[in-house]
Amino acid sequence: QLVESGGGLVQAGGSLRLSCAASGLTFSRYKMGWFRQAPGKEREFVASIDWSGGSTANADSVKGRFTISRDNAKNTVYLQMNSLKPEDTAVYYCAAGKYGNSAAITYDYWGQGTQVTVSS
């Protein structure tokens, strides 16, 4: 089970930190990813992190603004979002996959999502 938290309403230029707590799986054996879906749009990749946290990947749209990290002792993955823009408004989902990458199909488990709204 994956449970996201930390979403909310923020002004453009602000920051939010999303968390995703995992249970029922051996967390350190899973790559973790963050995806987002805006109204009327396809779900899109945001960021991913490997099993140890030593390697990360980000979508071009969030490079330099968002940072993914994980704490295997706490079974938690984070997404620090800075310099938020109105176009970042979406439901954000975390996902777990043994070989996860930027493709949603590579993830086996998904959270329920948390809403992030950025006002201009």
Side-chain angles (χ1 to χ4, degrees):
Q1 182 182 12
L2 302 176
V3 179
E4 302 97 336
S5 61
L9 174 64
V10 64
Q11 288 189 333
S15 298
L16 281 175
R17 188 195 197 200
L18 305 184
S19 299
C20 173
S23 61
L25 54 83
T26 306
F27 184 71
S28 60
R29 294 184 181 177
Y30 286 81
K31 288 186 172 183
M32 300 299 295
W34 285 97
F35 289 76
R36 67 186 181 185
Q37 188 166 18
K41 294 190 176 181
E42 302 264 328
R43 188 171 298 192
E44 66 172 357
F45 169 75
V46 175
S48 64
I49 189 166
D50 73 354
W51 308 272
S52 66
S55 178
T56 63
N58 293 278
D60 287 344
S61 59
V62 306
K63 278 182 181 176
R65 300 188 299 123
F66 291 10
T67 303
I68 187 171
S69 61
R70 67 188 295 162
D71 185 338
N72 285 348
K74 296 182 177 180
N75 288 358
T76 301
V77 63
Y78 306 96
L79 184 68
Q80 178 66 45
M81 305 186 295
N82 299 328
S83 302
L84 282 160
K85 304 175 181 180
E87 51 263 44
D88 294 318
T89 295
V91 177
Y92 283 71
Y93 299 89
C94 71
K98 288 190 175 181
Y99 304 105
N101 53 37
S102 61
I105 197 171
T106 61
Y107 292 86
D108 305 303
Y109 303 100
W110 292 83
Q112 82 289 348
T114 186
Q115 177 70 46
V116 172
T117 303
V118 184
S119 64
S120 57

